[in-house]
Amino acid sequence: LGWVLLDFPLLALWDRDLAVLGIPLLPLAIFGLWALLIAAVAWLVGGVFGSLFIATKCGLARSPAGRITADNRADTIRRSCDESLQRLGVEQIDLFYLHRIDPQVPIEDSMGVMAGLVQAGKIRYTGISEAGPETLRRAHRTHPLAALQSELSPWTRNACRATLDVCRELGIAFVAYSPLGRGFLTGAISSGGDFPEGDTRRMFPRFQPENLQHNLAAVERLRELAHGIGCTPAQLSLAW
């Protein structure tokens, strides 16, 4: 769902998947169309939320210029939690992540606030996103982490070594996002023109013209490997 615009056929499909197919995890975000999507899904699925494990995030803020930056201050974390509870119409969030680590706020301070939300009964478990091994250890010492969410694919393997080792050691679940490289590893993207206007991928360095051609060569190699074993590039990426 990450790159499609909000529309009601999409929401109807999601409602069907949740209610009929029994999808147990509902990951949500907090900005722009996603905030509207959360409210719309809450309206559509109603009581189904009671049977779902709901994960959402906090720790970002939008500047007056529209730029999204990390903000792990206590007030931001608490406000994000209360707003998410209100939008979702639930009394407790199952898993609450720090969306990005704020270098201006000690991780111990942010996790102390998260621990307070657990004690208040507003969240069940805490998580963080895109944290390195040392930050992961410091956060876990302050309050036990249930999950680390980081990007992981054949294209992005930063988390493959030290961070995964720490997760295994401390019993922290690893939640991989963008396993298809934000759609790029499917082989369906051949130029920047394939991204619709307003698509946030246009902002990422890996999709800029000076980098895109190099990355397309890597995807072509992935396509060749997939063809050799009789599957699609997407299937190979997920199997990896």
Side-chain angles (χ1 to χ4, degrees):
L1 296 175
W3 305 111
V4 291
L5 296 178
L6 176 64
D7 59 43
F8 282 93
L10 166 65
L11 295 177
L13 175 63
W14 197 357
D15 182 34
R16 184 210 68 188
D17 289 341
L18 294 176
V20 178
L21 302 182
I23 296 174
L25 172 64
L26 182 60
L28 302 168
I30 59 175
F31 278 115
L33 286 175
W34 278 110
L36 296 176
L37 179 59
I38 291 169
V41 170
W43 174 77
L44 276 171
V45 303
V48 176
F49 270 158
S51 61
L52 297 175
F53 188 95
I54 298 174
T56 189
K57 299 178 180 179
C58 65
L60 293 181
R62 193 185 298 274
S63 72
R67 183 181 179 188
I68 296 175
T69 59
D71 182 352
N72 291 178
R73 292 174 298 177
D75 287 347
T76 301
I77 293 172
R78 294 191 186 103
R79 184 175 64 253
S80 294
C81 180
D82 289 341
E83 290 174 351
S84 290
L85 290 169
Q86 182 179 18
R87 277 193 296 263
L88 292 166
V90 297
E91 295 182 356
Q92 187 180 59
I93 295 164
D94 294 298
L95 175 59
F96 201 46
Y97 289 101
L98 281 177
H99 203 142
R100 288 294 183 271
I101 305 302
D102 185 349
Q104 305 302 317
V105 180
I107 189 64
E108 291 83 359
D109 292 356
S110 302
M111 288 304 300
V113 178
M114 300 280 274
L117 294 174
V118 173
Q119 293 165 4
K122 294 184 176 183
I123 65 176
R124 291 177 63 194
Y125 305 110
T126 65
I128 56 178
S129 295
E130 299 289 3
E134 182 55 31
T135 301
L136 199 57
R137 290 185 184 279
R138 289 168 53 200
H140 192 72
R141 279 196 296 266
T142 304
H143 183 82
L145 287 169
L148 167 71
Q149 185 190 56
S150 293
E151 185 171 357
L152 184 66
S153 72
W155 200 20
T156 305
R157 295 171 290 176
N158 307 29
C160 278
R161 296 181 177 86
T163 303
L164 280 174
D165 288 341
V166 174
C167 285
R168 293 188 185 99
E169 175 190 340
L170 300 179
I172 300 170
F174 185 87
V175 180
Y177 76 85
S178 292
L180 297 178
R182 303 178 187 273
F184 192 69
L185 299 181
T186 63
I189 297 169
S190 58
S191 72
D194 292 330
F195 302 133
E197 196 64 36
D199 193 312
T200 55
R201 288 174 292 184
R202 288 176 174 265
M203 300 185 299
F204 298 158
R206 69 183 77 176
F207 296 119
Q208 299 305 307
E210 61 272 21
N211 301 319
L212 188 60
Q213 291 307 311
H214 296 289
N215 289 323
L216 284 170
V219 170
E220 184 57 34
R221 177 59 179 148
L222 181 70
R223 192 195 308 274
E224 292 171 359
L225 291 170
H227 179 74
I229 60 176
C231 68
T232 67
Q235 289 171 325
L236 180 57
S237 296
L238 293 175
W240 176 90

